[in-house]
């Protein structure tokens, strides 16, 4: 059986995020008690430990903290994609997310401003990529 | 509760490299036999056992019950760590001795992950794998890139971690990678995850190592000169990406401050330094957080050659995981003890009395120990 490399976008624990990406939005959990924006999704607030949560759209803009360029596929599933670049983005609203950097001719350097770009990689599955603003 | 004064009185290692056809437990047991022989004791003197599960091992591997059975012992205290490399197992043993659970504890570790074809290439559907951030080389490359951005560190400066360790390995008969490697060779090797190259990343190898720890009082009765555990400290960073600058691992400084304060010593007092090197970037970071140079200054510090044979700060004199073997910092501990016992032949450093042995579990936690030839 082929490895299932796509996320279960209907998993109740993460489905609102995946619906958000299909709609071109970044949607994360917000603690209804303390307001902390939580990423990745989880059952309780990492800050105040409340389990009361709602899903909230946040700004798709952030700053590139750093990046790594894969010249070798450290996992065979990526062998057709090398070279590819993974970014760590600090979103203006707080959460930190890892995702692919859209190929660019611009100078890639920590500190540059980036915005989310939404790419459907499989019917119903849209990933957040990052592009330099 | 005060920390009991303890000492390492036995060490053992199997062959390192490829050990096909042997289970991890068998390798761990053979390492234990070597340590028992080295200590010059009968196995009946052991009343504690600490084992750990090898990385990436499927199922129930490395448990105290299975290794205790192989060794035919009934220790008063026995425990298995899910994550038990070097210092984490050592600290558990020191704590158990302090608590009076045992007085002489055998720690042993064995792995056949190379022969078993273990993969470090990440999971399947977790968030990092979905992003393509697989293998420790990815986040380490990000950390290196950030260091270069903030402090002007160059790829050549980072390269001196691997080149210096290769120079050390050339005098270590156990080391798996011993062929000469110049800085030009390093820079000519292709990127794996840019800016990291193959020599920046740990090898994968099979092997076993074991250590016997006892009270300082008892240590005097054994055959080999005791190596005393002067100080231990740990810190975790489990908030993960909730911590700003997670990949720079600034919490390592908390371990450094505590391990030095507990010993009443500072970085300048260290004659030998062992820093676990899953990647060269970890060495770069730890040189700074342990205060061997200023934060941001590890690049020039490495380029000046301080960590090379003949330099002012011998680091990973066994060659480390980049050149000797992948033994999860156990062989760094083995080397530290042998250097302090003056058993290292052509790479022996003169007049060494105090060593720092430090490691990290990537971004999760770290531990450090100060080892000394002095009981005080």
């Amino acid at each position: 059986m082929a490895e299932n490399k796509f996320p279960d976008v209907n998993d109740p624990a993460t489905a609102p995020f995946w619906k958000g990406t299909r709609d071109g939005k970044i949607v994360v959990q917000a603690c209804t008690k303390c307001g902390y924006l939580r990423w990745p999704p989880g059952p309780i607030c990492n800050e105040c430990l409340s389990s009361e949560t709602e899903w909230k759209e946040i700004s798709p803009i952030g700053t590139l903290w750093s990046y790594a360029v894969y010249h070798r596929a450290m996992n065979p599933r990526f062998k057709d994609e090398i070279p590819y670049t993974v970014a760590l983005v600090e979103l203006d609203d707080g959460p930190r997310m890892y995702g692919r950097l859209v190929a660019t001719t611009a100078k890639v350097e920590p500190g540059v401003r980036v915005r989310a770009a939404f790419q459907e990689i499989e019917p119903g599955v849209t990933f957040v990529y990052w592009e330099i603003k | 509760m005060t920390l009991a004064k303890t000492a390492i009185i036995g060490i053992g290692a199997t062959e390192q490299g490829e050990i096909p056809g042997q289970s991890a437990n068998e390798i761990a047991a053979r390492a234990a036999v070597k340590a028992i022989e080295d200590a010059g004791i009968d196995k009946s003197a052991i009343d504690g056992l600490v084992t750990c599960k090898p990385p990436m091992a499927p199922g129930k591997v490395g448990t105290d019950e299975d290794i205790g059975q192989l060794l035919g012992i009934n220790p008063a205290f026995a425990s298995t760590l899910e994550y038990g490399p070097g210092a984490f197992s050592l600290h558990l043993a020191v704590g158990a001795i302090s608590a009076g659970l045992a007085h002489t504890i055998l720690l042993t570790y064995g792995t056949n992950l190379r022969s078993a074809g273990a993969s470090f290439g990440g999971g399947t559907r977790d968030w990092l794998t979905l992003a393509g951030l697989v293998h420790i080389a990815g986040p380490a490359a990000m950390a290196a890139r950030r260091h270069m951005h903030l402090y002007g560190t160059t790829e050549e400066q980072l390269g001196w971690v691997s080149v210096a360790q290769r120079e050390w390995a050339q005098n270590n008969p156990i080391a798996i990678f011993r062929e000469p490697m110049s800085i030009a060779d390093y820079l000519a090797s292709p990127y794996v995850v840019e800016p990291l190259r193959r020599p920046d990343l740990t090898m994968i190898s099979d092997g076993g190592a074991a250590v016997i720890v006892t009270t300082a009082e008892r240590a005097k009765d054994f055959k080999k000169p005791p190596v005393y555990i002067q100080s231990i400290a740990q810190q975790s960073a489990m908030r993960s990406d909730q911590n700003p600058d997670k990949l720079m691992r600034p919490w390592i400084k908390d371990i450094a401050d505590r391990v030095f304060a507990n010993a009443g010593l500072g970085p300048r007092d260290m004659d030998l330094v062992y820093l676990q090197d899953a990647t060269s970037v970890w060495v770069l970071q730890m040189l700074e957080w342990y205060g061997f140079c200023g934060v941001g200054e590890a690049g020039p510090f490495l380029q000046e050659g301080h960590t090379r044979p003949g330099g002012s700060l011998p680091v990973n004199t066994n060659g480390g995981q980049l050149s000797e073997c992948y033994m999860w910092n156990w062989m760094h501990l083995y080397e530290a003890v042998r250097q302090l016992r003056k058993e290292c032949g052509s790479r022996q450093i003169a007049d060494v009395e105090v060593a720092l042995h430090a490691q990290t579990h990537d971004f999760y936690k770290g531990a450090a120990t100060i080892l000394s030839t002095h009981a005080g």
Side-chain angles (χ1 to χ4, degrees), chain A residues 43-73:
Chain A
I44 57 172
C45 175
N46 308 111
E47 289 292 333
C48 77
L49 307 184
S50 167
S51 54
E52 291 169 29
T53 191
E54 62 185 358
W55 290 83
K56 188 175 170 183
E57 182 183 354
I58 63 170
S59 166
I61 309 291
T63 302
L64 181 69
W65 188 88
S66 193
Y67 65 98
V69 185
Y70 281 73
H71 293 265
R72 282 237 321 257

Side-chain angles (χ1 to χ4, degrees), chain A residues 4-23 39 41 55 119-128, chain B residues 125 127 130:
Chain A
N4 185 357
K5 59 185 182 182
F6 299 108
D8 177 2
V9 297
N10 297 313
D11 177 349
T14 57
F17 170 77
W18 295 114
K19 181 180 184 312
T21 61
R22 287 193 297 275
D23 296 342
W39 182 262
W55 290 83
Q119 295 197 11
E120 186 175 65
I121 54 147
E122 170 84 356
V125 181
T126 298
F127 277 11
V128 178
Chain B
R125 299 161 80 186
W127 293 106
L130 291 175

Side-chain angles (χ1 to χ4, degrees), chain A residues 98-120:
Chain A
Y98 298 89
R100 296 291 182 86
L101 197 68
V102 176
T104 178
T105 54
K107 185 170 167 56
V108 180
E109 187 69 15
V112 299
R113 301 284 285 162
V114 293
R115 84 167 84 226
F118 300 90
Q119 295 197 11
E120 186 175 65

Side-chain angles (χ1 to χ4, degrees), chain A residues 3-8 14 17-18 36 39-41 46-47 64-75 77-78 84-88 90 96 98-100 109-111 127, chain B residues 119-125 127-135 137-139 141-146 148-149 191-195 198 201 239 241-248:
Chain A
E3 173 191 62
N4 185 357
K5 59 185 182 182
F6 299 108
D8 177 2
T14 57
F17 170 77
W18 295 114
Y36 182 71
W39 182 262
N46 308 111
E47 289 292 333
L64 181 69
W65 188 88
S66 193
Y67 65 98
V69 185
Y70 281 73
H71 293 265
R72 282 237 321 257
M74 307 305 278
N75 180 320
R77 71 195 257 183
F78 300 116
Y84 67 87
T85 301
V86 184
L88 169 54
E90 288 187 321
R96 299 181 180 88
Y98 298 89
R100 296 291 182 86
E109 187 69 15
F127 277 11
Chain B
S119 166
F120 288 77
T124 53
R125 299 161 80 186
W127 293 106
L128 295 184
T129 303
L130 291 175
L133 192 71
V134 290
H135 195 281
M142 286 184 173
R145 176 63 64 198
R146 181 79 180 176
M148 290 168 177
H149 169 72
Y191 290 125
V192 175
V193 183
E194 186 183 345
R198 176 65 193 86
L201 306 173
R239 284 168 60 89
D241 280 303
Q242 276 186 276
N243 291 323
D245 294 332
K246 164 188 163 181
L247 302 183
M248 306 306 265

